[in-house]
Amino acid sequence: KTLGDQAELLCRRLNECHGLEVVLPQGAMYAMVRVSTDLLDVANDKEFSRLLLQEENVFVLPGSAFGMSNVVRVVFCLPPPVL
């Protein structure tokens, strides 16, 4: 599989998740995902990231690390079964 295929798979699956909206990647190995804090009942992207790691063992980078609020960065260079 190519990175493009993996990006498409990840974006399609994440867009099916309540409260998440993927910003389509443009040639990178990651996608930015908008987090609806109201719908998901979290304070911000940091809390969302912490809870995702704690509850699902999935690491994402909070957008606030880049000066972007209520988004997370998700890497999609993993094999499709892992995505």
Side-chain angles (χ1 to χ4, degrees):
K1 294 280 184 185
T2 66
L3 279 178
D5 294 335
Q6 289 164 263
E8 182 181 317
L9 174 65
L10 178 76
C11 291
R12 187 176 64 247
R13 288 183 177 170
L14 286 176
N15 275 328
E16 295 172 357
C17 296
H18 176 75
L20 301 180
E21 179 188 355
V22 178
V23 179
L24 294 175
Q26 303 271 324
M29 294 188 326
Y30 58 85
M32 301 304 282
V33 181
R34 288 188 190 97
V35 178
S36 176
T37 55
D38 292 338
L39 289 175
L40 297 174
D41 195 29
V42 293
N44 52 41
D45 56 315
K46 289 181 186 177
E47 181 182 11
F48 175 81
S49 299
R50 181 182 57 77
L51 290 171
L52 189 61
L53 180 60
Q54 201 173 341
E55 296 176 10
E56 301 297 332
N57 204 28
V58 173
F59 177 79
V60 295
L61 192 59
S64 56
F66 306 102
M68 301 172 68
S69 60
N70 298 331
V71 297
V72 294
R73 188 170 87 171
V74 180
V75 176
F76 54 78
C77 58
L78 299 168
V82 176
L83 292 174

